[in-house]
């Protein structure tokens, strides 16, 4: 038995998200089916974690076990031939049998892209969140300074994080950096782990600050209140990219 | 009567191209219908020229006439509210009555995007032409040097250029520059005018050179032969962007 790690990219636009769901096409289900067709045995594909509908990935990871002797190179090629063009296997590699895409992960990097302009852009509409009209860049950057570090992110998590009860909602955000890019901004998040919708909820809160709907001084209070309803709305899915899972 | 110039961007993926065609959704037809709905009179929308199915625009232009007294600002807003998100009016402006989107044009700028990688990229698959495997960058750049200037581009035109008989297939390519960009290359073409599929046919010829299927020395001969069949295949539509119409 060999364990294979896949690194993959996908455009989340046309899917219900990563995770297998009844009555909806998930990315995990599509890849699992393609693997089963190729390997002629049933496959359990474990991802590093779910991504929601409309969220993209440049570096999602997953693993599965097989007795096949196909080389990782052939495996990648054959799998890509079976998958639609909005899902690409970037790499396949044999890993030790105790590697686990989710439990071996030491952290993750997400990017969130904001398009700042008078009009949204047809070519980036599925990959950038358009912010039209006034945008207080200084307030936005000031607010962002409150997030890096170890905090209880309960106010920024849409539901209790299952399967990590011991940790509760405490996470360490190692990095939240803001970069200029053509047409707008790119926010880079790196952390040891992320609660459900945590990145989008932080971005939503920052955007409300940039729009003058709240001030950056309120943010320490939000951490203390541990109340999802107090923080900003969830920012749209299409700006979010899972860039890398760190091992 | 006022003449209005529109500057617009679109994602060509879901359309049959710019031009009105029977039994296919064209960008021109969609905008014309939205204008007629808004202005409550019939509208003749004239574009700077056609773009083919799958070709994108960041700066297409068009004009139409109206007796409406709507400000250009309101016109842009109302029109965008009626149009799908893959077509955006970037600007509306009143212009002199002798302005013509096509006949007043002094030139055009096109960009062609190439993605160089081991695998195509899900997020850019509709906006970059993927070139997988070997790519001789030096041969590619050497070949490109032959194109700027005034030439008979007949070998690079898919059919006789209608409506410019006096000029035949002689055009001036003022600029063909190659820029590095994330994941690949961007080719910038600027010329006084372009024959049908000329940019894609030049790119196709350059790509065949980079793949070792022809040498850059053959290119002067291609100009002399004036035979479309001798030059390279038409490069895919999705890498091509009409960036600007110069007046």
């Amino acid at each position: 038995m060999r364990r294979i790690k896949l690194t993959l990219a996908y455009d989340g636009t046309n899917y219900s998200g990563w995770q297998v769901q009844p009555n909806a096409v998930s990315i995990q289900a599509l890849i699992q089916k393609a693997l089963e067709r190729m390997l002629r045995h049933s496959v359990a594909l474990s991802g590093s974690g779910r991504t929601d509908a409309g969220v993209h990935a440049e570096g999602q990871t997953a693993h599965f076990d097989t007795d096949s002797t196909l080389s990782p190179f052939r495996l990648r090629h054959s799998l890509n031939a079976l998958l639609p063009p909005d899902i690409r296997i970037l790499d396949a590699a044999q890993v030790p049998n105790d590697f686990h895409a989710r439990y071996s992960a030491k952290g993750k990097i997400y990017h969130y892209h904001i398009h700042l302009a008078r009009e949204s852009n047809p070519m980036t509409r599925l990959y950038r969140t358009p912010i039209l009209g006034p945008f207080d860049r200084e307030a936005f950057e000031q607010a962002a300074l409150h997030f890096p570090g170890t905090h209880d992110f309960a106010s920024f998590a849409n539901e209790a994080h299952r399967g990590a009860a011991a940790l509760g909602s405490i996470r360490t955000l190692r990095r939240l950096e803001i970069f200029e890019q053509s047409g707008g901004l790119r926010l880079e998040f790196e952390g040891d782990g992320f609660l459900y919708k945590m990145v989008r909820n932080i971005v939503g809160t920052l955007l409300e600050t940039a729009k003058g709907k709240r001030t950056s001084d309120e943010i320490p209070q939000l951490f203390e209140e541990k109340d999802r309803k107090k923080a900003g709305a969830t920012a749209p899915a299409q700006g979010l990219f899972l860039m890398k899972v760190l091992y």
Side-chain angles (χ1 to χ4, degrees), chain A:
Chain A
M1 194 276 285
R2 295 190 306 152
R3 183 155 287 190
I4 305 291
K5 176 192 176 199
L6 300 178
T7 304
L8 59 145
Y10 48 82
D11 178 337
T13 307
N14 298 318
Y15 300 99
S16 67
W18 168 260
Q19 194 151 296
V20 173
Q21 287 182 20
N23 307 319
V25 180
S26 78
I27 295 151
Q28 181 188 19
L30 260 184
I31 299 173
Q32 205 165 276
K33 261 184 228 163
L35 280 169
E36 290 179 343
R37 195 173 141 197
M38 204 172 93
L39 300 169
R40 295 164 195 274
H41 64 69
S42 73
V43 169
L45 184 69
S46 286
S48 77
R50 57 175 153 176
T51 55
D52 286 310
V55 173
H56 313 293
E58 301 254 18
Q60 171 68 294
T61 55
H63 79 264
F64 67 93
D65 294 330
T66 184
D67 288 322
S68 159
T69 56
L70 266 183
S71 75
F73 178 88
R74 291 301 324 155
L75 206 142
R76 172 171 67 84
H77 262 267
S78 308
L79 195 50
N80 277 332
L82 291 170
L83 290 170
D86 53 4
I87 302 177
R88 288 292 93 182
I89 307 300
L90 302 179
D91 191 52
Q94 188 169 343
V95 287
N97 284 356
D98 64 351
F99 171 88
H100 191 287
R102 179 171 174 190
Y103 300 119
S104 305
K106 300 258 188 298
K108 282 184 180 172
I109 298 175
Y110 284 95
H111 289 180
Y112 195 96
H113 296 270
I114 291 169
H115 175 71
L116 299 172
R118 198 167 72 163
E119 296 293 347
S120 66
N121 179 319
M123 263 63 71
T124 62
R125 74 193 189 284
L126 306 172
Y127 314 103
R128 305 280 183 267
T129 294
I131 308 297
L132 313 180
F135 182 88
D136 184 337
R137 173 77 180 271
E138 192 180 346
F140 185 82
E141 296 204 10
Q142 278 296 323
L145 293 176
H146 290 283
F147 287 92
T150 302
H151 304 283
D152 187 327
F153 282 94
S155 291
F156 303 94
N158 265 25
E159 60 181 38
H161 192 65
R162 294 165 304 172
L167 205 60
S169 45
I170 293 172
R171 293 291 181 281
T172 298
L173 186 63
R174 295 174 198 147
R175 189 161 70 80
L176 195 185
E177 286 183 282
I178 302 170
F179 294 91
E180 291 269 353
Q181 67 182 14
S182 168
L185 301 174
R186 179 180 73 252
L187 282 69
E188 299 194 1
F189 292 82
E190 180 177 338
D192 59 352
F194 290 85
L195 300 163
Y196 187 45
K197 295 202 177 170
M198 179 171 142
V199 174
R200 289 164 62 190
N201 291 336
I202 294 173
V203 173
T205 305
L206 296 178
L207 290 175
E208 291 181 6
T209 312
K211 284 293 189 184
K213 292 182 192 160
R214 55 173 77 233
T215 68
S216 76
D217 303 343
E218 298 167 33
I219 292 170
Q221 182 71 16
L222 289 178
F223 280 117
E224 278 176 37
E225 288 178 319
K226 302 181 180 58
D227 181 356
R228 175 68 196 98
K229 293 186 292 296
K230 298 282 173 63
T234 305
Q238 85 266 24
L240 185 61
F241 287 68
L242 171 57
M243 296 304 291
K244 202 173 173 61
V245 183
L246 307 166
Y247 291 101

